[in-house]
Amino acid sequence: VTGASFVVFNGALKTSSGFLAKSSIVEDGLMVQITRETMESLRQALRDKKDFKITCGKTDAGDVKEYVDICWVENEEKTNQG
């Protein structure tokens, strides 16, 4: 589990790169590189306020995977106060 001050989603990852998605720590935030198709799915999930999971790693890595989970909370008023 990684806490971050900000998250950047970059939708320019090519499917020919051999990666499902890539995540990396940038300063005190997280950058997630995803394909254009995954970006469209993420945008729709955000519009619909649905949880979304991004699987990171090489396409042929087998069982070793990282995940970026975007989760909605029930009560938004108690988070991000101030």
Side-chain angles (χ1 to χ4, degrees), residues 18 20 57-62 65:
L20 299 166
K58 288 199 166 259
T59 53
D60 59 356
K65 300 274 190 266

Side-chain angles (χ1 to χ4, degrees), residues 7-11 21-24 30-34 54 56 68:
V7 179
V8 175
F9 295 101
N10 178 341
K22 293 167 67 173
S23 65
S24 55
L30 179 69
M31 180 171 68
V32 185
Q33 298 176 23
I34 55 180
I54 299 170
C56 300
V68 175

Side-chain angles (χ1 to χ4, degrees), residues 42-53 69-76 79-80:
L42 172 59
R43 286 179 179 154
Q44 189 60 51
L46 292 173
R47 281 192 282 269
D48 296 341
K49 293 187 176 182
K50 302 279 185 185
D51 292 351
F52 193 78
K53 179 182 268 191
D69 289 318
I70 295 108
C71 303
W72 290 87
V73 295
E74 289 183 28
N75 187 350
E76 294 180 37
T79 59
N80 297 328

